[in-house]
Amino acid sequence: MKPTVVIGGGIVGLFTAYFLQQQGEEVIVVDKGDMKENCSTGNAGMIVPSHIVPLASPGMIAKGISWMFSSKSPFYIQPRLDKRLIDWCLQFYRHSNAKHVAQSIPYLKGISLYSKQLYMDFVATHGNEAIKLQDRGLLMLYKTREGEKEEAELAHLARESGLNAEILSKDDIRKLEPNQEVDVRGGVYFPDDAHLSPKDLYRILKNHLKEHGVQLKSNVGITGVEKAGSKITAVITSQGKIDCSHVMVCAGSWSGEIAKMLGFRLPMMGGKGYSFELTNTPELKQASILTEARVSQSPYGDKVRFGGTMEISNRIDMINMRRVQGIFESIKAYYPEFQADFPSQDKIWKGMRPCSPDGLPYIGKAPGWENVAFGAGHSMMGVSLAPATGKLLADLKTGKIGTLKTDAFAVGRYAGKL
């Protein structure tokens, strides 16, 4: 029996390999990087069933335009003559409306809750000490009247969709953060959200896969495929040919390049984000998002990770220190007593989040191919949705049909549109 090849060794690819291996499949994971530091290891580690509104939503266009004029803003598109970027922006604009949000909510809610349950199952099997999952919910903190209105509307939308959401006063927030002054107008608390250590999760998954016979091949580029009719029979790599029975493409921001190799369009842009860890003093206890700044904060005992920005750019390796400065300045704006020193450049993580133009991931069979599937385009929710994506792809390989609705995630939904 030939193996299944998983292209992409990020958290989505590893969970895909994990569930395939559980089903008795032989699996080879190949990745163009070193599988040490990537988009899966330095993010906020949030598991967020509350995030039911896609990135493409009403108001994002106006906010994006205003943010474009600030070097420290949460969102930036590097201007350049690039047909892929122009096409992506046009599709993003077309989907930034209330109808698209309403249609997307049931899908995002369903896959998010499924993923949260799979995380709880993972902890029950492997223990929680390693990945440090903290099932304490998420605070959305706001400082302005506009922020209050926006978050209250999202809380109402969440409740209408069957999710738990609590609007909190400044005094309520003080009870959740007893060690800190929190300079906010109020917040919304989503008790069903959680967070974990993404770096530790990534390490545990890699070790588990190796121990159970999954081959992990790093620094391997994909140069082509061999095919017979509508099936791929081998993947051609920079280190030779790998015969295969199936191919699962979980290559993050580079999944669009693989799709192009297979003859169809998969609109995808890399949205660069930055994060850094600081000593947690005075101790923050509650994971939160600083809404006006679009900055996340995830505490892990004596350390806390701050992260943010969405920079649509082709400057993959460059760290824009002005944008990091924007993240850093938001800390004192929301937590005036927090003792923070600006991190040195070698302590700053950067990663390219894979963004689809409608804010929904691509999960399912590749158009025109019998034995190829994709799991990509999760934007800022890669860690949150990774277990569900991996399980859906593994079930697709074995022919198992579940009850979760996934047609909104169709891989070929743009194949003839751009």
Side-chain angles (χ1 to χ4, degrees), residues 301-363:
D302 62 347
K303 296 289 184 182
V304 59
R305 181 183 295 276
F306 292 92
T309 84
M310 177 67 78
E311 183 180 337
I312 307 297
S313 168
N314 59 5
R315 298 167 183 163
I316 297 170
D317 295 324
M318 189 186 85
I319 293 178
N320 187 327
M321 296 302 289
R322 293 287 291 171
R323 311 198 82 74
V324 177
Q325 183 71 35
I327 297 171
F328 182 78
E329 290 175 0
S330 71
I331 300 172
K332 285 291 186 182
Y334 287 78
Y335 304 111
E337 297 175 348
F338 191 84
Q339 298 173 21
D341 293 321
F342 190 76
S344 59
Q345 187 161 331
D346 64 321
K347 300 295 184 183
I348 297 167
W349 169 92
K350 64 183 183 304
M352 299 295 284
R353 308 182 192 97
C355 300
S356 71
D358 59 10
L360 300 177
Y362 300 108
I363 306 172

Side-chain angles (χ1 to χ4, degrees), residues 55-56 60-61 75-78 80 82-96 253 266-271 310-313 353-360 362 377 379 413-414 417-418:
L55 186 63
M60 275 303 295
I61 298 297
F75 182 74
Y76 175 73
I77 298 178
Q78 173 200 346
R80 58 192 188 273
D82 181 337
K83 184 180 183 302
R84 291 189 314 121
L85 175 62
I86 294 168
D87 289 340
W88 187 94
C89 288
L90 285 172
Q91 287 293 346
F92 186 89
Y93 174 78
R94 290 168 187 162
H95 285 92
S96 295
S253 299
L266 191 82
M268 188 91 75
M269 298 303 298
M310 177 67 78
E311 183 180 337
I312 307 297
S313 168
R353 308 182 192 97
C355 300
S356 71
D358 59 10
L360 300 177
Y362 300 108
S379 186
R413 63 186 185 268
Y414 291 104
K417 291 185 180 181
L418 294 182

Side-chain angles (χ1 to χ4, degrees), residues 5 24 27 50 61 84 89-90 106 216 218 247 266 334 381 398:
V5 173
V27 186
S50 64
I61 298 297
R84 291 189 314 121
C89 288
L90 285 172
L216 305 180
S218 57
V247 177
L266 191 82
Y334 287 78
M381 294 176 63
T398 56

Side-chain angles (χ1 to χ4, degrees), residues 67-382:
W67 283 334
M68 286 285 287
F69 297 100
S70 170
S71 62
K72 299 178 184 178
S73 71
F75 182 74
Y76 175 73
I77 298 178
Q78 173 200 346
R80 58 192 188 273
L81 288 175
D82 181 337
K83 184 180 183 302
R84 291 189 314 121
L85 175 62
I86 294 168
D87 289 340
W88 187 94
C89 288
L90 285 172
Q91 287 293 346
F92 186 89
Y93 174 78
R94 290 168 187 162
H95 285 92
S96 295
N97 58 69
K99 181 181 178 182
H100 173 63
V101 170
Q103 291 173 339
S104 302
I105 284 173
Y107 294 91
L108 289 174
K109 174 191 170 185
I111 193 171
S112 292
L113 290 174
Y114 183 42
S115 214
K116 169 76 181 294
Q117 183 55 56
L118 289 170
Y119 267 121
M120 302 313 289
D121 295 344
F122 186 86
V123 166
T125 300
H126 300 280
N128 192 33
E129 184 176 351
I131 68 171
K132 303 179 179 69
L133 189 146
Q134 300 180 44
D135 197 11
R136 297 181 184 173
L138 176 68
L139 263 178
M140 306 292 290
L141 298 174
Y142 47 80
K143 294 176 66 68
T144 63
R145 189 179 297 275
E146 181 185 358
E148 180 178 39
K149 181 177 182 293
E150 183 176 313
E151 293 306 315
E153 288 174 354
L154 289 173
H156 176 70
L157 193 60
R159 287 170 178 163
E160 280 192 329
S161 303
L163 298 172
N164 295 314
E166 304 169 19
I167 296 177
L168 304 184
S169 67
K170 187 172 181 176
D171 287 340
D172 295 327
I173 292 166
R174 190 174 290 116
K175 295 173 185 176
L176 293 175
E177 290 291 7
N179 303 320
Q180 285 281 350
E181 178 191 350
V182 186
D183 185 8
V184 295
R185 186 180 180 91
V188 175
Y189 178 58
F190 291 100
D192 299 321
D193 289 4
H195 71 285
L196 51 74
S197 170
K199 185 176 292 187
D200 291 322
L201 172 66
Y202 192 68
R203 175 177 51 81
I204 291 299
L205 272 173
K206 283 199 301 184
N207 290 341
H208 174 87
L209 293 173
K210 289 176 184 176
E211 290 168 3
H212 288 79
V214 174
Q215 296 183 56
L216 305 180
K217 296 179 178 290
S218 57
N219 300 308
V220 176
I222 306 300
T223 60
V225 297
E226 287 186 358
K227 60 183 180 179
S230 59
K231 288 187 176 182
I232 289 178
T233 57
V235 175
I236 311 302
T237 81
S238 56
Q239 296 183 13
K241 182 175 76 170
I242 304 175
D243 293 324
C244 60
S245 65
H246 286 73
V247 177
M248 304 292 182
V249 181
C250 308
S253 299
W254 291 272
S255 297
E257 301 301 316
I258 305 297
K260 185 177 180 181
M261 193 180 295
L262 299 179
F264 69 95
R265 293 183 177 94
L266 191 82
M268 188 91 75
M269 298 303 298
K272 192 192 298 182
Y274 304 105
S275 76
F276 48 83
E277 281 191 350
L278 299 175
T279 301
N280 193 5
T281 308
E283 185 184 7
L284 287 162
K285 291 184 172 293
Q286 181 63 54
S288 64
I289 292 179
L290 317 180
T291 59
E292 288 89 356
R294 296 299 196 268
V295 166
S296 64
Q297 173 271 115
S298 304
Y300 305 99
D302 62 347
K303 296 289 184 182
V304 59
R305 181 183 295 276
F306 292 92
T309 84
M310 177 67 78
E311 183 180 337
I312 307 297
S313 168
N314 59 5
R315 298 167 183 163
I316 297 170
D317 295 324
M318 189 186 85
I319 293 178
N320 187 327
M321 296 302 289
R322 293 287 291 171
R323 311 198 82 74
V324 177
Q325 183 71 35
I327 297 171
F328 182 78
E329 290 175 0
S330 71
I331 300 172
K332 285 291 186 182
Y334 287 78
Y335 304 111
E337 297 175 348
F338 191 84
Q339 298 173 21
D341 293 321
F342 190 76
S344 59
Q345 187 161 331
D346 64 321
K347 300 295 184 183
I348 297 167
W349 169 92
K350 64 183 183 304
M352 299 295 284
R353 308 182 192 97
C355 300
S356 71
D358 59 10
L360 300 177
Y362 300 108
I363 306 172
K365 275 195 170 184
W369 297 94
E370 293 182 43
N371 64 339
V372 183
F374 277 65
H378 297 82
S379 186
M380 295 169 288
M381 294 176 63

